Coordinates of all heavy atoms in Angstrom, one line a residue:
Y156 N -9.4 -1.1 3.4 CA -8.8 -1.1 2.1 C -9.1 0.2 1.4 O -10.3 0.7 1.5 CB -9.5 -2.2 1.3 CG -9.0 -2.4 -0.1 CD1 -7.7 -3.1 -0.3 CD2 -9.6 -1.9 -1.3 CE1 -7.2 -3.2 -1.6 CE2 -9.1 -2.1 -2.5 CZ -7.9 -2.7 -2.7 OH -7.4 -2.9 -4.0
I157 N -8.2 0.8 0.7 CA -8.4 2.0 -0.1 C -8.2 1.7 -1.5 O -7.2 1.1 -1.9 CB -7.6 3.2 0.4 CG1 -8.0 4.5 -0.3 CG2 -6.1 2.9 0.3 CD1 -7.5 5.8 0.3
C158 N -9.1 2.1 -2.4 CA -8.9 2.0 -3.8 C -9.1 3.4 -4.5 O -9.5 4.3 -3.8 CB -9.9 1.0 -4.4 SG -11.6 1.6 -4.5
R159 N -8.7 3.5 -5.7 CA -8.7 4.7 -6.4 C -9.1 4.5 -7.9 O -8.8 3.4 -8.4 CB -7.3 5.3 -6.3 CG -7.1 6.7 -6.8 CD -5.7 7.2 -6.6 NE -5.5 8.6 -6.9 CZ -4.3 9.2 -7.0 NH1 -3.2 8.5 -6.8 NH2 -4.3 10.5 -7.3
N160 N -9.6 5.5 -8.5 CA -9.9 5.4 -9.9 C -8.7 4.8 -10.7 O -7.6 5.3 -10.5 CB -10.3 6.8 -10.5 CG -10.5 6.7 -11.9 OD1 -9.6 6.6 -12.7 ND2 -11.8 6.8 -12.3
P161 N -8.9 3.8 -11.5 CA -7.7 3.1 -12.2 C -6.9 4.1 -13.1 O -5.7 3.9 -13.2 CB -8.3 2.0 -13.0 CG -9.8 2.2 -12.9 CD -10.1 3.1 -11.8
K162 N -7.6 5.1 -13.7 CA -6.8 6.0 -14.5 C -5.8 6.8 -13.7 O -4.7 6.9 -14.1 CB -7.8 6.9 -15.3 CG -8.8 6.2 -16.2 CD -9.5 7.0 -17.2 CE -10.6 7.9 -16.6 NZ -11.7 7.3 -16.0
D163 N -6.3 7.4 -12.6 CA -5.4 8.1 -11.7 C -4.3 7.2 -11.1 O -3.2 7.5 -10.9 CB -6.1 8.8 -10.6 CG -6.7 10.2 -11.1 OD1 -6.2 10.7 -12.1 OD2 -7.7 10.6 -10.5
S164 N -4.8 5.9 -10.7 CA -3.8 5.0 -10.1 C -2.7 4.7 -11.1 O -1.5 4.7 -10.8 CB -4.5 3.7 -9.7 OG -5.6 3.9 -8.9
F165 N -3.1 4.4 -12.4 CA -2.1 4.1 -13.4 C -1.1 5.3 -13.6 O 0.1 5.1 -13.6 CB -2.7 3.7 -14.7 CG -1.7 3.8 -15.8 CD1 -0.7 2.7 -15.9 CD2 -1.6 4.8 -16.7 CE1 0.3 2.8 -16.9 CE2 -0.6 4.9 -17.7 CZ 0.3 3.8 -17.8
V166 N -1.7 6.5 -13.7 CA -0.8 7.7 -13.9 C 0.1 7.9 -12.7 O 1.3 8.2 -12.9 CB -1.7 8.9 -14.2 CG1 -0.9 10.2 -14.2 CG2 -2.4 8.7 -15.6
S167 N -0.4 7.7 -11.5 CA 0.4 7.9 -10.4 C 1.6 6.9 -10.4 O 2.7 7.2 -10.1 CB -0.4 7.7 -9.1 OG 0.3 8.0 -7.9

Side-chain angles (χ1 to χ4, degrees):
Y156 186 77
I157 184 162
C158 72
R159 186 180 189 188
N160 177 286
K162 299 194 287 293
D163 279 339
S164 302
F165 165 74
V166 167
S167 182

